[in-house]
Amino acid sequence: MIRRSLRVALLAAPFLVCPLAPAAAQYVVYDPSNYAQNLLQAARALQQVTNQITSLQNEAQMLINQARNLASLPYSSLSALQQSTQRTQQLLGQAQKIAYDVTAIDRAFQGQYGSVSLSTSDAALVTQAKSRWETTLAGLQDALRVQAGVVGNLDTGRSQASTLVGQSQAASGALQAMQAGNQLQALQAQQLSDLTAVVAANGRAQALSEAERATAVSEGQERYRRFSTRTSYQPATVTMFRGN
């Protein structure tokens, strides 16, 4: 009996010496539903951050586009076009004799063109005819000078057109494209102005030539009248050849 009790005591000794750990530290509880909920919340938070980043990127791109649309064209053809226009205007302003002035034209036609006065002396007729011829010649010279000036502007217009087309194609925004288009329209207006100047100069020269021709007819009639009414002239039979 004593031996049996001793054996039981020896077998139970290890359990009495080593303390038992708490049961909660030995087990990990896994809750699938809680894990799925946490994962879903994390995914939603990540999606919100992604959406915010995308929104900021879109706003930044919008600002960049607005800056491009508001950027001014770094090239201007205004100075070159103004110089071409001024050259043509100077040539028109240098018109000789009868210029592009209504009052001057009326005054010149009253004194030099139209019907020849019966009281005008022969010397005055010669002087007026010479003055009309010089005026016509000056008009033709002015027309040629305007034509030469416009032809000289063609190289400038061609260069500006090429540059402006290149600027329009390389425009980074709406404002630059619009400004390039406006300058192209200004170039067309300048070329149209040159064409108008050529037409005006040619028309002036032609009008002066026609006026001189019409006045010459009237002058010729007056000269013939004076010649035929002179008392010193006596018509007589003239024998050109005598027979043997």
Side-chain angles (χ1 to χ4, degrees), residues 147-158:
Q147 293 174 14
V150 170
V151 170
N153 289 339
L154 290 178
D155 289 337
T156 301
R158 187 182 302 108

Side-chain angles (χ1 to χ4, degrees), residues 138-162:
L140 295 173
Q141 181 182 8
D142 292 338
L144 291 175
R145 295 178 72 246
V146 171
Q147 293 174 14
V150 170
V151 170
N153 289 339
L154 290 178
D155 289 337
T156 301
R158 187 182 302 108
S159 175
Q160 294 299 322
S162 176

Side-chain angles (χ1 to χ4, degrees), residues 68-74 164-185:
R68 289 177 177 175
N69 289 331
L70 296 177
S72 179
L73 190 70
L164 289 173
V165 170
Q167 290 288 332
S168 177
Q169 292 177 345
S172 61
L175 181 60
Q176 289 188 359
M178 181 177 65
Q179 289 179 340
N182 290 340
Q183 293 188 44
L184 283 171
Q185 291 181 354

Side-chain angles (χ1 to χ4, degrees), residues 14-233:
F15 296 98
L16 295 175
V17 175
C18 297
L20 297 176
Q26 297 179 359
Y27 301 97
V28 178
V29 179
Y30 173 74
D31 188 353
S33 61
N34 188 26
Y35 177 78
Q37 185 177 3
N38 293 336
L39 185 61
L40 181 59
Q41 290 178 353
R44 290 176 178 174
L46 180 60
Q47 184 63 39
Q48 290 180 355
V49 173
T50 303
N51 293 338
Q52 291 177 355
I53 293 175
T54 303
S55 177
L56 292 175
Q57 290 176 343
N58 292 335
E59 291 179 0
Q61 186 62 43
M62 181 179 64
L63 293 176
I64 293 174
N65 293 336
Q66 289 179 353
R68 289 177 177 175
N69 289 331
L70 296 177
S72 179
L73 190 70
Y75 178 80
S76 175
S77 63
L78 181 60
S79 178
L81 297 181
Q82 287 179 339
Q83 290 178 2
S84 297
T85 302
Q86 289 174 357
R87 282 194 295 267
T88 303
Q89 290 178 343
Q90 288 176 356
L91 291 173
L92 292 175
Q94 294 171 0
Q96 308 171 73
K97 302 292 184 177
I98 303 177
Y100 300 93
D101 181 77
V102 176
T103 303
I105 291 173
D106 291 341
R107 184 167 53 250
F109 269 74
Q110 289 175 0
Q112 300 181 19
Y113 295 89
S115 300
V116 177
S117 176
L118 301 179
S119 61
T120 305
S121 63
D122 291 340
L125 290 178
V126 173
T127 301
Q128 291 178 0
K130 181 180 180 182
S131 176
R132 289 191 297 269
W133 174 79
E134 291 175 349
T135 301
T136 300
L137 191 64
L140 295 173
Q141 181 182 8
D142 292 338
L144 291 175
R145 295 178 72 246
V146 171
Q147 293 174 14
V150 170
V151 170
N153 289 339
L154 290 178
D155 289 337
T156 301
R158 187 182 302 108
S159 175
Q160 294 299 322
S162 176
T163 302
L164 289 173
V165 170
Q167 290 288 332
S168 177
Q169 292 177 345
S172 61
L175 181 60
Q176 289 188 359
M178 181 177 65
Q179 289 179 340
N182 290 340
Q183 293 188 44
L184 283 171
Q185 291 181 354
L187 174 60
Q188 293 177 351
Q190 183 269 325
Q191 292 175 338
L192 182 60
S193 176
D194 278 354
L195 179 60
T196 303
V198 171
V199 173
N202 290 342
R204 172 176 174 266
Q206 184 177 0
L208 290 175
S209 179
E210 293 295 331
E212 180 192 7
R213 186 178 295 109
T215 306
V217 172
S218 177
E219 182 182 347
Q221 293 174 349
E222 176 60 19
R223 286 181 177 277
Y224 175 77
R225 186 193 66 79
R226 294 183 181 186
F227 176 78
S228 61
T229 57
R230 286 179 179 175
T231 56
S232 59
Y233 172 73

